[in-house]
Amino acid sequence: MSNGKQVVELREALRQAIDEEMERNPNVFVMGEEVGEYNGAYKVTKGLLDKWGPKRIVDTPISELGFAGLCIGAAMTGLRPIVEFMSFNFSFVAADQLISNAIKMHYMSGNRFSVPIVFRGPNGAAAQVSSQHSHCVEAIYGNLPGWIILAPSNSYDAKGLLKSAIRENNPVLFLESELSYGDKMEIPMGEYLVPIGKARIVQEGQDITIISHSRMVNVCKEVVKELAKSGIKAELIDLRTIKPLDIATIAASVKKTNHAVLVEEGHIFAGIAAEVAFQIMESCFDYLDAPIERVGQRETPMPYSRVLEQETLPNVNRILKAVYKSLHQV
């Protein structure tokens, strides 16, 4: 630590956000499988049980439908639950509570109830956990009105966005990457917030716009470095907030570069990139010098084999190929 800064892993940034918000508001509590005694499956809640006790750090049985519903009810009464799914794949077990109650209660109650709740946990691929533990859920839930969907790519955004999410009066899906929990970054020691609904320009450039979110942003950083070796200056945008989408930042970039490549870890069909691409077409059609390119997970369940897993997910070579195609260099 120095000069008011600290270098922390992403998991620690999340823990700090939760701890600070529990300190700030006694109505904030955490519930989920192994969040207490085990310190969280990925150690995000390490030490919080000892500090806050079992009434605010609540371990549960393997019962996603039950504890999701319980926390939605608690949110309706004025509490602010943080629900940890050990994997967002397991949120499908609680889908009826998430879809029928969390995001619809404000509407169905005629504005009488708000549901200030955060559902957080690892989303997308990990290391060889195969098809039932590797799904990206943002496109599935993103189709439904009522969600705020956040997907940070680094420690700074993870802490600032989670604090903003906990203060939000509407349901939030906070999507983390299991493969990013150990990533380190320098962040401020003091409190700060990252605004919901604002994308971040990671790298400025004028030749092509690359748009991504979550762990794929770091893959795209490698792409930007490779492109620079051949004199191509790419602009990289980290969505950070998937819903609501910051189309203003995206459109301004595409109008400058006239080319766009969209990268997501999830599947292409009906994916996030499909929606972003359409909104770019609405806003920037006359500025595009080439069709929009998309790179995503291949249309197959995630294999267990490490070699096949790496081939299935977006990688530097596949993204570079899409960039060169957009720039008519292949």
Side-chain angles (χ1 to χ4, degrees), residues 50-271:
D50 292 338
K51 181 173 182 179
W52 295 109
K55 289 187 177 181
R56 296 187 69 188
I57 304 294
V58 186
D59 276 321
T60 71
I62 301 175
S63 55
E64 286 82 4
L65 182 68
F67 64 75
L70 186 156
C71 286
I72 292 167
M76 291 169 60
T77 68
L79 299 180
R80 290 185 174 269
I82 304 168
V83 177
E84 178 178 302
F85 288 124
M86 191 181 295
S87 165
F88 255 99
N89 296 265
F90 305 157
S91 73
F92 297 146
V93 181
D96 185 45
Q97 288 292 348
L98 271 65
I99 295 169
S100 297
N101 293 325
I103 57 173
K104 294 189 173 73
M105 192 56 64
H106 186 73
Y107 172 79
M108 293 296 292
S109 68
N111 199 29
R112 290 179 177 86
F113 288 106
S114 293
V115 186
I117 188 169
V118 177
F119 297 96
R120 54 154 296 270
N123 174 63
Q128 289 186 279
V129 293
S130 196
S131 61
Q132 293 180 328
H133 294 72
S134 300
H135 206 90
C136 291
V137 305
E138 51 264 49
I140 294 174
Y141 290 122
N143 179 254
L144 305 166
W147 286 120
I148 292 170
I149 304 179
L150 308 177
S153 67
N154 59 70
S155 297
Y156 179 89
D157 287 342
K159 181 176 180 179
L161 279 172
L162 183 54
K163 287 174 68 67
S164 294
I166 295 167
R167 300 183 191 189
E168 174 61 46
N169 289 325
N170 296 295
V172 178
L173 291 181
F174 196 91
L175 309 179
E176 303 152 14
S177 168
E178 180 180 335
L179 294 174
S180 298
Y181 281 130
D183 291 355
K184 293 182 178 180
M185 185 180 186
E186 185 178 80
I187 68 172
M189 292 179 63
E191 181 180 69
Y192 65 92
L193 300 175
V194 172
I196 291 171
K198 183 63 178 174
R200 178 173 68 97
I201 298 177
V202 179
Q203 176 71 51
E204 293 188 356
Q206 64 270 358
D207 295 326
I208 190 166
T209 300
I210 302 174
I211 303 162
S212 190
H213 64 273
S214 192
R215 186 174 68 90
M216 285 295 112
V217 171
N218 297 316
V219 178
C220 291
K221 285 182 180 179
E222 297 302 313
V223 172
V224 171
K225 291 178 182 178
E226 286 298 313
L227 292 171
K229 294 176 182 178
S230 57
I232 299 172
K233 296 180 179 179
E235 183 146 296
L236 176 57
I237 295 178
D238 181 352
L239 293 178
R240 301 198 294 189
T241 299
I242 295 172
K243 193 173 186 179
L245 184 68
D246 182 6
I247 189 60
T249 296
I250 295 168
S253 178
V254 174
K255 288 177 180 179
K256 177 176 66 173
T257 68
N258 311 117
H259 298 268
V261 172
L262 314 181
V263 181
E264 66 178 309
E265 189 175 308
H267 294 103
I268 286 292
F269 189 88

Side-chain angles (χ1 to χ4, degrees), residues 1-8 16 20 156 159 163 186-192:
M1 295 184 185
S2 63
N3 299 322
K5 299 286 187 177
Q6 56 179 331
V7 176
V8 299
Q16 289 183 14
E20 289 176 13
Y156 179 89
K159 181 176 180 179
K163 287 174 68 67
E186 185 178 80
I187 68 172
M189 292 179 63
E191 181 180 69
Y192 65 92

Side-chain angles (χ1 to χ4, degrees), residues 44-55:
V44 171
T45 52
K46 184 177 180 179
L48 295 184
L49 176 63
D50 292 338
K51 181 173 182 179
W52 295 109
K55 289 187 177 181

